[in-house]
Amino acid sequence: MRSAEQILREATTIAVVGASRDARKTAHSVPLAIQRRGWRIIPVNPYADEIFGVKAYRSLADIPEPVDFVNVFRPSRDATQVVKDAIAIGAPAVWLQQDIVSPEGRALAEAAGVDYVEDTCIAVVRAVHAISGPRIP
């Protein structure tokens, strides 16, 4: 299993489940900050057509391309289903944001060979490890 730092360093495209249109929410400000650092963010929100200036998708299954990992801004009670959906699209990693945990989701990810991070903020990992953004050839 890769560490959170490795997952972020190796990523270019991140699907964000629960991305918010509300700039006051961390589900908006955190992915936006990551986008501004150079990662490609694909928002997943069934109630939005566009977030962060890019097309939003209703579900992970609707995204027409591979993603490097799925970042989750949904309550813990929803996380297991998001992990199942991430496995279904072939995502190599799932990352649950701070305060989001799912023992069942972890077990499913591990059984599927999917890297798994929970209860960890992507922006904190980026800052602590001074990750400047993806290296795009």
Side-chain angles (χ1 to χ4, degrees):
M1 287 290 199
R2 294 179 295 164
S3 69
E5 177 187 2
Q6 288 173 308
I7 292 167
L8 188 56
R9 283 192 188 280
E10 295 171 8
T12 302
T13 303
I14 304 166
V16 179
V17 175
S20 177
R21 294 173 289 186
D22 186 342
R24 297 169 295 179
K25 293 185 176 182
T26 57
H28 180 91
S29 61
V30 169
L32 180 61
I34 294 299
Q35 181 190 52
R36 288 179 175 164
R37 291 288 186 161
W39 282 271
R40 182 160 176 254
I41 299 296
I42 300 176
V44 178
N45 181 321
Y47 306 106
D49 294 323
E50 181 180 292
I51 305 174
F52 318 122
V54 297
K55 178 178 174 46
Y57 291 89
R58 303 283 185 244
S59 70
L60 286 173
D62 292 334
I63 299 173
E65 63 188 273
V67 299
D68 296 312
F69 71 90
V70 174
N71 188 219
V72 182
F73 282 89
R74 296 292 305 143
S76 293
R77 68 181 175 273
D78 298 341
T80 299
Q81 185 59 53
V82 176
V83 172
K84 289 177 183 178
D85 295 345
I87 292 167
I89 67 161
V94 177
W95 185 315
L96 278 55
Q97 280 296 127
Q98 189 169 344
D99 297 327
I100 305 170
V101 296
S102 174
E104 185 180 352
R106 175 183 289 280
L108 289 168
E110 289 174 355
V114 171
D115 294 321
Y116 185 84
V117 176
E118 67 180 10
D119 192 21
T120 304
C121 181
I122 189 173
V124 171
V125 170
R126 191 216 59 77
V128 166
H129 297 286
I131 302 171
S132 59
R135 294 190 178 109
I136 300 171

